[in-house]
Amino acid sequence: MDINNELIDKLANLAKLNFDDTTKEAIRGDLEKALTFFEKISELDTENVEPLIYMNEEVNVFRKDEAKTLISRAEGLKNAPLQDGEFIKVPKVIEQ
Amino acid sequence: MDISKYETVIGLEIHVQLQTNSKIFAPDTNSFGAEPNTNISYITLGHPGTLPFANERIMEYAVKIGLATNCKIERHNRFARKNYFYADLPKGYQITQNLTPICYDGYLPIEVNGEVKKIGITRIHLEEDAGKSTHDQDPNYSLIDLNRAGTPLVEIVSEPDIRSADEAYQYVSDMRRIVRYLGISDADMEKGNLRCDVNISVMLKGAKEYGERVEVKNINSLRNVKRAIEFETKRQIKLVEKGVQVERQTRSFDASNGTTFSLRDKELAHDYRYFPEPDLPQMYVSEEYIAAIEAEMPTLPKALQDEFTQKLGLSAYDAGVLTDEKEMAAYFCEAIKHTDDYKAVVNWLMGPVKEYLNKNNADIGNFALLPKQLVELIHLIKDGQLSFSVAAQKLLPEWIEQPQMSALNLAKSLNLLMESDDDFIEEVIERVLQQFPDKVKAYQKGRKGMTGFFMGQIMKASKGKADPKLTNKLLAKKLKEVN
């Protein structure tokens, strides 16, 4: 598969990341390697083989509907880059 | 502009927050209105190494709404990840059902202008809600509250079978009533328990192909469902009339002026890269499970309405109002176990009781008087011991304050019982006739219509307690004597 700048830009946009040209070049190399690997795997004939999604066959593993407090607000907000003790603050998403 | 040659094609996506104690995949409290970011957990925050753990209730609730809307139920359910980055979605993906919605191929019959129409239901799937972003509290930042993140949702997707704002209104209103009857959600639109996205396009009547559709979001009341559709229909027709192609867009409804505005254009179309969620085991809905849920389904509003009109002979209007709220319908059903006078019960509930509830911002669910007690009141009136107006205006408010009394004893102690004592009534008649000698003269000159006036005055003077039949008789006699 041809990894062009357009594809890298699209992926970057989906991941909300920005890359300069040098980084893009490096990413192109890495992605090509990864894709070549997957192309190799794709050579296997998987006709009539059900995709494996789950590592075990268990079904209906449910939790009782009981509310529990696992962490406090202060603990929860600790990892936010910016917060005011109540809310997590992020760059404005919608222009008013 | 000739609107009549166009047809509006509408499909609705309704998100219903399920009423559970804890969230869909984590045990944090599921409630509305808590302090920001207090109902969170490391699972909700998407911390590495944490795993989702499904709430047992979700399967039950989803099957209930599926059965109530004539859907087929998917036996083998999988969850999927819908990938996108947004600040109110900490994991970077929403867990939803993509390929295996738990309910599919259903319909809801709605009635608009006396005509019944089936609205197809494409699918109902389970998913988690995102957090809430506020954009107008801080000049430089958007504020994120993750209390809502992970709230269990069902998304109900209709076929594009709806053709008018009125039909859409009825559909949403019926759906809201059904989820309330099922007890799976409060479905309060203002609190966002029930949210509605409208997909809308216009085409010339009879056209084979639908026009380009626009999705309208952020509609927070039933009335606004109608307003948004009315505005958007006109906007699109105007464009088409000018020869401009309607663009596929997501727009937001602005309740302050009833218009819609563009949120994002199609060139930024999302690429959600769905894939199966391997962290959640499959959910299997067995035949026996469905049968068990079916057995405990409550009677739904439509069935109750039919029962009220066909078996009890109530009008369609009365049946509609009675079944609007589940608790009101239940109160009525309980009350008519004690009387055959269904219409009297309806009149009491729709009249004085409703008036009291509205005035005091109260619910029939915790109304002080039991259905049986209301019937006690109805019987007193029927037996001629109490007039309706005295019962409604004087006895009812007092009784609500002390419901442990019997209606009869309370009426006695408040001196509200009807007087059928000749002396009492004659005395009042005497007094009234003396008070209005000119009216008596008018009567004597042949104005027989004066009887009504005298009756009114007598009732007033007796504080509504004079037995009307007896009073009528005694008044006629008295007026003859005066003659």
Side-chain angles (χ1 to χ4, degrees):
Chain A
M1 190 181 171
D2 184 28
I3 310 278
N4 54 27
N5 268 351
E6 202 184 328
L7 180 63
I8 295 178
D9 286 343
K10 188 192 161 195
L11 294 174
N13 182 41
L14 287 171
K16 299 275 183 274
L17 295 170
N18 271 315
F19 300 120
D20 59 30
D21 287 349
T22 335
T23 320
K24 274 187 200 168
E25 220 27 65
I27 288 170
R28 186 202 312 278
D30 289 346
L31 277 179
E32 260 162 12
K33 254 188 244 164
L35 280 176
T36 312
F37 175 66
F38 277 103
E39 270 162 18
K40 187 79 190 161
I41 294 177
S42 301
E43 284 170 17
L44 276 175
D45 180 9
T46 54
E47 189 97 356
N48 301 322
V49 178
E50 280 289 312
L52 176 72
I53 298 168
Y54 304 101
M55 286 308 170
N56 65 52
E57 297 294 303
E58 250 182 303
V59 297
N60 294 353
V61 182
F62 292 121
R63 163 178 58 80
K64 287 249 170 278
D65 181 24
E66 285 162 4
K68 284 183 198 149
T69 306
L70 299 182
I71 53 171
S72 69
R73 171 156 75 185
E75 287 172 306
L77 293 178
K78 221 157 148 186
N79 286 341
L82 203 61
Q83 45 105 351
D84 63 7
E86 285 186 47
F87 291 98
I88 298 162
K89 293 165 90 170
V90 300
K92 267 233 188 292
V93 188
I94 286 181
E95 295 299 328
Q96 286 294 305
Chain B
M1 192 169 77
D2 182 14
I3 291 185
S4 66
K5 62 182 183 184
Y6 290 95
E7 191 166 16
T8 314
V9 178
I10 302 161
L12 293 175
E13 291 165 21
I14 300 179
H15 286 88
V16 180
Q17 286 183 338
L18 301 177
Q19 202 173 40
T20 53
N21 299 320
S22 61
K23 291 185 179 173
I24 183 166
F25 301 125
D28 354 346
T29 302
N30 172 30
S31 76
F32 177 84
E35 284 290 300
N37 291 307
T38 50
N39 295 333
I40 54 175
S41 67
Y42 31 78
I43 301 165
T44 303
L45 294 174
H47 278 227
T50 58
L51 291 173
F53 195 178
N55 186 331
E56 61 175 358
R57 285 253 178 247
I58 57 172
M59 186 156 102
E60 174 196 335
Y61 284 5
V63 170
K64 276 185 176 162
I65 182 66
L67 292 177
T69 52
N70 310 292
C71 284
K72 295 177 181 138
I73 307 293
E74 174 67 51
R75 299 305 156 81
H76 298 276
N77 284 268
R78 292 202 309 245
F79 287 95
R81 294 186 184 180
K82 179 181 181 179
N83 298 281
Y84 64 94
F85 279 104
Y86 201 76
D88 56 23
L89 186 76
K91 295 194 299 305
Y93 56 84
Q94 178 192 32
I95 302 178
T96 178
Q97 291 189 297
N98 176 31
L99 297 174
T100 61
I102 184 161
C103 319
Y104 60 98
D105 274 359
Y107 64 87
L108 184 68
I110 60 164
E111 191 176 327
V112 175
N113 300 328
E115 273 182 54
V116 177
K117 178 174 175 178
K118 275 186 189 176
I119 306 299
I121 297 192
T122 318
R123 57 185 284 158
I124 302 175
H125 63 257
L126 282 159
E127 62 185 26
E128 57 179 338
D129 208 344
K132 195 168 166 40
S133 315
T134 313
H135 308 291
D136 53 6
Q137 297 289 308
D138 187 294
N140 303 314
Y141 296 97
S142 288
L143 303 180
I144 309 295
D145 172 11
L146 295 173
N147 283 347
R148 197 179 69 181
T151 297
L153 292 178
V154 284
E155 178 174 343
I156 306 167
V157 183
S158 87
E159 289 288 302
D161 289 343
I162 297 165
R163 289 291 175 275
S164 70
D166 285 338
E167 286 181 14
Y169 182 96
Q170 196 58 45
Y171 172 80
V172 179
S173 152
D174 285 0
M175 198 60 91
R176 185 174 67 172
R177 189 143 68 165
I178 287 172
V179 300
R180 284 179 178 167
Y181 267 70
L182 292 173
I184 65 174
S185 176
D186 284 341
D188 184 337
M189 287 189 81
E190 275 170 26
K191 288 184 183 167
N193 297 151
L194 186 147
R195 305 195 294 270
C196 182
D197 299 338
V198 180
N199 284 298
I200 173 168
S201 67
V202 297
M203 62 179 184
L204 283 172
K205 267 186 190 152
K208 290 267 179 312
E209 251 182 66
Y210 295 158
E212 192 65 77
R213 70 160 196 258
V214 166
E215 183 176 3
V216 183
K217 288 182 173 288
N218 298 325
I219 302 172
N220 65 350
S221 74
L222 257 181
R223 195 171 73 94
N224 285 340
V225 171
K226 228 166 151 171
R227 287 172 79 204
I229 291 171
E230 278 160 3
F231 174 84
E232 191 54 29
T233 304
K234 275 192 204 128
R235 188 187 72 86
Q236 291 186 20
I237 291 175
K238 262 186 217 160
L239 286 176
V240 175
E241 288 274 295
K242 274 194 281 185
V244 181
Q245 175 77 42
V246 174
E247 267 184 86
R248 184 159 186 167
Q249 275 181 333
T250 302
R251 299 176 73 86
S252 179
F253 179 68
D254 182 348
S256 67
N257 56 16
T259 65
T260 66
F261 62 93
S262 173
L263 279 178
R264 43 185 181 238
D265 288 319
K266 64 170 176 181
E267 51 267 25
L268 283 172
H270 281 286
D271 178 355
Y272 291 124
R273 296 150 291 150
Y274 285 98
F275 65 87
E277 165 61 275
D279 290 344
L280 281 165
Q282 294 190 74
M283 200 164 77
Y284 176 70
V285 189
S286 68
E287 197 79 54
E288 297 75 40
Y289 186 85
I290 297 172
I293 297 283
E294 206 154 20
E296 62 175 48
M297 288 279 277
T299 312
L300 292 172
K302 184 73 188 52
L304 270 182
Q305 278 173 28
D306 289 348
E307 196 185 312
F308 290 172
T309 51
Q310 287 157 23
K311 278 203 198 146
L312 307 182
L314 299 189
S315 71
Y317 176 80
D318 285 346
V321 181
L322 275 181
T323 52
D324 197 31
E325 282 177 77
K326 182 187 181 181
E327 292 75 16
M328 183 61 89
Y331 194 100
F332 175 76
C333 287
E334 186 55 38
I336 60 169
K337 286 183 189 161
H338 306 278
T339 176
D340 292 336
D341 197 348
Y342 313 131
K343 187 64 193 164
V345 179
V346 174
N347 289 343
W348 269 93
L349 288 176
M350 300 297 101
V353 173
K354 197 135 206 187
E355 195 182 316
Y356 169 84
L357 295 174
N358 288 344
K359 226 200 257 162
N360 294 281
N361 212 0
D363 294 325
I364 188 75
N366 39 37
F367 185 53
L369 301 178
L370 301 172
K372 203 170 68 184
Q373 291 179 292
L374 189 68
V375 173
E376 213 180 307
L377 206 54
I378 290 169
H379 284 154
L380 283 182
I381 297 165
K382 224 176 166 187
D383 296 345
Q385 303 208 59
L386 205 58
S387 79
F388 177 83
S389 60
V390 168
Q393 287 159 23
K394 300 204 173 124
L395 187 57
L396 185 73
E398 286 292 334
W399 203 15
I400 288 169
E401 297 301 318
Q402 35 190 328
Q404 69 287 354
M405 298 260 303
S406 83
L408 184 60
N409 284 340
L410 185 62
K412 263 186 205 156
S413 75
L414 294 169
N415 194 19
L416 295 176
L417 287 182
M418 204 110 87
E419 286 289 350
S420 41
D421 171 46
D422 283 19
D423 291 348
F424 169 82
I425 296 174
E426 273 174 356
E427 188 272 319
V428 179
I429 293 173
E430 199 79 37
R431 207 158 12 109
V432 166
L433 294 187
Q434 277 170 16
Q435 206 183 334
F436 299 101
D438 48 332
K439 305 280 187 204
V440 175
K441 256 184 213 138
Y443 177 86
Q444 286 164 337
K445 281 184 190 150
R447 284 187 54 195
K448 301 296 177 220
M450 277 298 137
T451 315
F453 169 81
F454 291 128
M455 278 299 285
Q457 290 299 323
I458 294 161
M459 283 303 157
K460 209 168 134 191
S462 74
K463 300 201 170 68
K465 282 163 45 192
D467 179 328
K469 263 193 208 145
L470 188 60
T471 307
N472 225 334
K473 210 176 84 192
L474 293 175
L475 176 65
K477 207 173 108 197
K478 200 84 188 161
L479 285 169
K480 245 187 223 153
E481 282 169 17
V482 180
N483 249 338

